[in-house]
Amino acid sequence: MTEELPLFPLQTVLFPGGLLSLKVFEARYLDLASTCLREKRPFGVVALRKGQEVRRSGQDEPGAVVFEDVGVMAEILELDGAQPGILQLRCRGLRRFRIERTHQRADGLWVGEVETLPDDEPIAPAEAVHETVRGLANAIASLKGKGVEPFEAPYRFDDAGWVANRWCEILPIPLAAKQRLMELPDARVRLALVDEFLRGQGVVK
């Protein structure tokens, strides 16, 4: 089963359960935000392989924008429209989806026909990666000490997928690597790869 989903291509990878702040000023995305709020429906965040987030003029030229086949649905949690013509959105990642086909509307908005992918099954982190779990707790405490709240509570340290996703959001790794990690269907494999990276960097012993 597929469904139509409005798409927001970005130079970032959104993970299920992750938070995303967006500054929206293009007409196509202002309309998108209004529609999603009014109809209580999500939109799709997809990482760009090629092209810009902001359209230069008219519709995007054919081939000028290329985005990944797998993205994450986002719901709007908060909206601030204090500045005329600009919306500040705070969003949360929901489920992953795979794009079957896309088209671009006359107003420039990309729309995808998508298939929803299964959520990570709740599964405890393997004993071998417990130091990586503790490392995330320490990272959260450190960020909170600086006045930064990077993740939404409750913190699920007993869930391998949640731990892996939160690490992926803050690790200094290339966009393509984050995309591949997000796409992995096995949460324990995703966390094991994060653990391997952290040990290689000396973050976890």
Side-chain angles (χ1 to χ4, degrees), residues 102-113:
T102 63
H103 67 273
Q104 193 176 23
R105 297 191 331 200
D107 64 359
L109 183 72
W110 286 97
V111 177
E113 195 171 314

Side-chain angles (χ1 to χ4, degrees), residues 14-15 17-22 33 36-37 40-43 73-80 88-94 149-153:
L14 178 63
F15 284 79
L19 296 175
L20 175 68
S21 295
L22 289 173
C36 288
L37 278 171
K40 293 183 170 58
R41 58 176 296 191
F43 61 94
M73 296 180 183
E75 64 176 342
I76 299 173
L77 299 177
E78 297 173 12
L79 181 148
D80 181 355
Q88 300 280 355
L89 306 180
R90 185 170 178 267
C91 310
R92 178 201 293 128
L94 301 173
E149 290 274 0
F151 311 127
E152 187 177 42

